[in-house]
Amino acid sequence: MNLLVRKAKKGDKAAFTQLMEEQGPSLYKIAKAILKNDDDVADAMQETALTCWEKLGTLKNDNLFKTWLTRILINHCNSIYRARGQLLSEEQWQEADSLENGYEHAEWTEFLNVLDEKYRIVVMLFYVEGFKTKEIAQILELSEGTVRVRLTRAREMMRQHYETDDIEREPQSVSSGRINRKGEIYGQI
């Protein structure tokens, strides 16, 4: 990738195009986690590519290209998010995601939708994109400690969400008896 970055910095459009194609799926996932709407995601990705092309000469360390590019994308996503506001309700987002992606990703999507944006983006960068906490801190302009705290809180939210989900789904009675969390029946039958 460093060779492509160096070529692109020298104005090689083919190298830049290849870089953007390689990073496209990763950028899409991140933008989708923030924006939800495919039109907004496309706008953010287009603006990111344009900004990256215009500012590529300012990148000092070629090894940090992906981090730098991701930071640009997140800034554009945040701008679009603030400009458009939340036009869709959470229920509409979940419904749209379920229809678009099928049910194979429904649980992950449900979890991401439960999280506030500040937690959702950290989770996406860490678990989906494989960035280290130090890199995420650079991308989001946060301290590494803040990133770790957000990851910990997101994990806790996930645990609470699933515990609450299990309790809500638990059957209340079977033939006048009750079932405890272990699945054992007690009380009158």
Side-chain angles (χ1 to χ4, degrees):
M1 181 166 56
N2 286 343
L3 178 61
L4 287 175
V5 173
R6 283 193 298 274
K7 285 182 175 182
K9 280 177 139 180
K10 293 178 183 175
D12 185 336
K13 291 180 182 178
F16 181 76
T17 301
Q18 187 175 346
L19 276 171
M20 291 296 104
E21 287 173 357
E22 288 175 3
Q23 299 303 314
S26 173
L27 296 175
Y28 177 83
K29 289 176 193 173
I30 294 167
K32 185 74 171 180
I34 297 170
L35 298 171
K36 307 292 184 201
N37 178 304
D38 279 334
D39 291 335
D40 291 342
V41 169
D43 289 346
M45 291 179 66
Q46 186 175 11
E47 288 296 319
T48 299
L50 180 61
T51 301
C52 183
W53 177 252
E54 292 172 349
K55 307 280 183 179
L56 193 55
T58 66
L59 178 64
K60 291 178 177 37
N61 185 343
D62 295 349
N63 293 327
L64 296 177
F65 175 76
K66 186 173 181 179
T67 302
W68 178 75
L69 180 65
T70 304
R71 182 184 208 167
I72 292 170
L73 173 71
I74 290 171
N75 288 338
H76 283 298
C77 287
N78 288 336
S79 294
I80 291 170
Y81 185 81
R82 282 190 299 273
R84 300 228 166 112
Q86 292 185 349
L87 300 176
L88 297 176
S89 69
E90 287 293 320
E91 292 80 21
Q92 289 170 316
W93 285 350
Q94 290 172 354
E95 183 179 29
D97 282 345
S98 294
L99 292 173
E100 182 177 314
N101 298 327
Y103 293 102
E104 66 274 6
H105 302 296
E107 196 168 314
W108 175 247
T109 302
E110 176 187 342
F111 168 66
L112 287 176
N113 286 334
V114 167
L115 296 176
D116 289 341
E117 181 186 348
K118 68 182 182 180
Y119 299 113
R120 184 170 50 238
I121 192 63
V122 170
V123 167
M124 285 292 298
L125 291 173
F126 187 79
Y127 289 109
V128 177
E129 297 307 318
F131 283 107
K132 296 178 178 128
T133 55
K134 183 177 183 177
E135 295 169 322
I136 295 169
Q138 290 173 341
I139 291 168
L140 299 177
E141 297 178 341
L142 300 169
S143 71
E144 194 172 347
T146 300
V147 170
R148 285 195 290 270
V149 166
R150 287 183 182 180
L151 281 169
T152 300
R153 287 182 181 162
R155 289 182 200 116
E156 178 63 21
M157 287 176 203
M158 181 166 71
R159 187 184 63 73
Q160 288 175 356
H161 176 74
Y162 284 108
E163 283 180 0
T164 303
D165 238 14
D166 289 344
I167 291 169
E168 289 173 2
R169 287 188 218 162
E170 185 177 296
Q172 293 301 310
S173 67
V174 174
S175 303
S176 302
R178 295 200 171 278
I179 299 177
N180 66 16
R181 290 188 62 107
K182 295 179 184 176
E184 302 164 336
I185 300 174
Y186 65 95
Q188 290 185 350
I189 299 185

